Amino acid sequence: MKKVTDKVTFCHGATIDTRLIQTPMLTNSGKDEKATQDTIDYYNSRSQSAGAVIVEYTSVSPNGGPSRSWARNREQLAIYNDDFKPGLAKIAKALKKDGNKAILQLVHSGREAKYRHTLGGQVEVPSDIDFPWIDYPLHELTEDEVWQIVKDFGAATKRAIDCGFDGVEIHGANHYLLQEFFSKYSNRRTDYWGGSLKKRMNFAKEVSKEVMAVVKDYAPKDFIVGYRISPEEIHGENVGYTWHESTQLVDMLTTNFDFDYIHLSLLDYKQKPTDSNKTLAELLGEHINGETLEVVAGGIRTEEQMEDALNYMDLIGIGRATLMDNHIAKKIKENKGEEIYHCFTDETLKELHLPAGLITFLANLPENMKLPGTDVLLKHVETKLGYAETHE
Ligand SMILES: Cc1cc2nc3c(=O)[nH]c(=O)nc-3n(C[C@H](O)[C@H](O)[C@H](O)COP(=O)(O)O)c2cc1C
């Protein structure tokens, strides 16, 4: 029987002392895409939130972000040159101070790099098609430009190693560039990077190959490498891909490469597709080969849900729960699960070190993602944090 407090060893040898993993979450606290004191304070206060913390999505290429900005002069982080290293190294050190593992999520935001457009830059996509919700110009990447982004993922991995991170996660989920290449809705190419399902997986394959090669050359033996996917992509009548195609992606990733984990991004960890009685976690888990572990996130907050989640996965992804309580793993290890905070209050907000842009973002989440106590957050946005405002 799996337990939340089990020690777990990844296939490359890193060990964590709980099955809890903090999922990557944008803090909207970067200035000029660099970590600020707010970013460092936030991560410093989360060194005991889980066995490993995956740091928010960080752009590997100059046009790989920023995606959105929710506070004036504050945005997504980047790692596309060495100037970003000192700030990121401080995040890694802060997270590791209590024995926790620190993993950095690497992204190219593709068509979602809206704020890059606002800053005067180019927004890059596999195919320049008319997405009904996009109101800024898109640049269709040339074959060579795609190869450059593959190299950028490798260079970013080397920098993450230099910064002291224990691992990297390739962000292939949530509609960013890797997913856009996998999606037949977003990728209409006929070159090496598109066409058949197999060719739509080439970008994921080449990025994984490059990251793994850099890890082999420069990282400690137990360096963790994960890959995050969204199991399905359905925009009304437009189907990017179904879970059936995702099983082939998971197969490709875990037969060609020894990933430490595959991470499913969901809003409900028990979500089932329309054509099966099994959960997406089970269906895709059956295609994870070798010793690769499965991490799943989606609405897991209480100790009871964590125990139930272990029926479907190896490692439990907790995202928004760690925003309301930054000591979840510590409380569970000390048998104080009933003391976990499940809502924001004036008192708890003082301990949580939430950057202003993150508070604004949380206060503006769609109804189905809003957290208990959002009214407290709104009060802080309106009073104490005068500068926190929507600034897309
Ligand atoms: C504020 C916020 C920021 C997020 N940023 C990221 C991100 O940087 N990368 C990513 O893969 N997912 C991101 N997500 C998704 C979360 O990692 C997670 O998958 C989602 O919140 C569902 O898990 P939960 O129910 O435990 O929160 C974000 C979610 C939230 C609420």
Side-chain angles (χ1 to χ4, degrees):
M1 259 282 271
K2 287 184 256 180
K3 291 203 311 290
V4 181
T5 49
D6 287 340
K7 269 199 166 52
V8 180
T9 300
F10 290 99
C11 68
H12 286 103
T15 299
I16 51 174
D17 63 358
T18 148
R19 291 186 183 268
L20 295 172
I21 306 281
Q22 182 179 319
T23 68
M25 281 178 291
L26 168 73
T27 57
N28 252 306
S29 60
K31 176 146 175 50
D32 299 327
E33 302 174 86
K34 293 191 181 79
T36 60
Q37 195 54 44
D38 286 348
T39 326
I40 294 155
D41 291 346
Y42 167 86
Y43 285 107
N44 190 43
S45 76
R46 276 167 183 73
S47 61
Q48 298 186 74
S49 67
V53 172
I54 307 170
V55 172
E56 64 198 88
Y57 67 165
T58 300
S59 318
V60 300
S61 310
N63 291 329
S67 51
R68 297 278 191 281
S69 169
W70 290 86
R72 190 176 302 150
N73 297 327
R74 290 288 187 271
E75 70 274 317
Q76 188 182 347
L77 304 178
I79 188 169
Y80 54 78
N81 69 44
D82 287 349
D83 297 346
F84 297 107
K85 287 196 327 194
L88 292 168
K90 284 185 192 159
I91 295 179
K93 188 171 172 207
L95 278 175
K96 290 166 63 159
K97 68 181 187 297
D98 296 306
N100 210 336
K101 298 290 178 200
I103 299 173
L104 183 67
Q105 189 183 47
L106 302 178
V107 74
H108 186 301
S109 300
R111 68 168 177 252
E112 300 301 320
K114 175 177 181 173
Y115 199 58
R116 176 57 62 198
H117 166 68
T118 310
L119 296 174
Q122 163 173 292
V123 178
E124 300 172 341
V125 287
S127 303
D128 181 11
I129 61 171
D130 188 15
F131 298 100
W133 65 94
I134 301 276
D135 58 2
Y136 40 92
L138 301 174
H139 168 74
E140 184 166 310
L141 290 160
T142 65
E143 275 199 72
D144 286 349
E145 285 169 337
V146 183
W147 280 115
Q148 180 56 50
I149 296 170
V150 169
K151 292 272 166 227
D152 291 345
F153 270 93
T157 302
K158 170 72 170 62
R159 291 188 191 105
I161 297 165
D162 295 343
C163 290
F165 282 96
D166 301 300
V168 290
E169 177 176 281
I170 301 171
H171 194 355
N174 303 355
H175 304 280
Y176 298 113
L177 193 67
L178 275 143
Q179 178 172 330
E180 291 166 21
F181 270 92
F182 183 55
S183 159
K184 59 179 170 288
Y185 173 60
S186 308
N187 180 353
R188 312 279 171 92
R189 301 174 76 103
T190 52
D191 58 6
Y192 178 67
W193 304 111
S196 61
L197 172 63
K198 192 158 177 269
K199 289 174 89 181
R200 284 189 279 117
M201 294 197 291
N202 278 341
F203 186 51
K205 191 173 175 180
E206 297 296 345
V207 167
S208 302
K209 197 195 278 179
E210 181 72 20
V211 167
M212 290 295 187
V214 170
V215 167
K216 189 161 178 283
D217 285 349
Y218 299 104
K221 275 214 155 17
D222 62 354
F223 195 78
I224 303 165
V225 191
Y227 193 107
R228 191 169 215 210
I229 67 162
S230 292
E232 297 187 299
E233 182 194 297
I234 299 166
H235 321 256
E237 293 190 347
N238 294 314
V239 176
Y241 58 88
T242 66
W243 68 271
H244 297 276
E245 290 162 289
S246 289
T247 61
Q248 298 194 46
L249 177 63
V250 169
D251 263 326
M252 184 283 285
L253 291 171
T254 59
T255 47
N256 287 287
F257 308 102
D258 50 353
F259 278 105
D260 289 277
Y261 68 87
I262 295 290
H263 187 175
L264 306 194
S265 175
L266 289 168
L267 283 181
D268 171 7
Y269 70 100
K270 285 204 259 199
Q271 192 182 320
K272 293 177 180 170
T274 48
D275 58 351
S276 172
N277 283 327
K278 289 189 179 175
T279 61
L280 288 163
E282 290 170 299
L283 292 164
L284 294 182
E286 287 165 12
H287 288 262
I288 296 179
N289 299 296
E291 293 173 64
T292 303
L293 300 176
E294 183 181 31
V295 186
V296 184
I300 305 168
R301 295 191 196 159
T302 63
E303 219 179 339
E304 208 178 356
Q305 285 172 320
M306 291 169 194
E307 280 156 16
D308 177 55
L310 288 176
N311 292 311
Y312 307 97
M313 61 194 75
D314 302 303
L315 297 170
I316 305 161
I318 46 172
R320 286 166 295 165
T322 65
L323 301 179
M324 292 183 288
D325 191 321
N326 47 2
H327 289 102
I328 294 185
K330 182 172 189 280
K331 286 182 180 170
I332 289 183
K333 274 190 255 173
E334 291 172 355
N335 238 333
K336 293 180 183 159
E338 75 288 349
E339 291 181 16
I340 294 173
Y341 307 137
H342 294 292
C343 110
F344 294 113
T345 65
D346 286 321
E347 272 314 296
T348 62
L349 211 51
K350 289 180 199 147
E351 301 170 26
L352 294 172
H353 296 279
L354 302 177
L358 178 57
I359 292 185
T360 312
F361 179 66
L362 293 172
N364 285 285
L365 277 177
E367 282 311 314
N368 66 341
M369 284 192 82
K370 271 212 172 94
L371 294 168
T374 294
D375 51 323
V376 174
L377 295 179
L378 281 169
K379 203 168 68 192
H380 279 255
V381 171
E382 283 158 17
T383 55
K384 300 207 172 57
L385 307 167
Y387 66 94
E389 61 184 38
T390 304
H391 189 73
E392 283 198 67

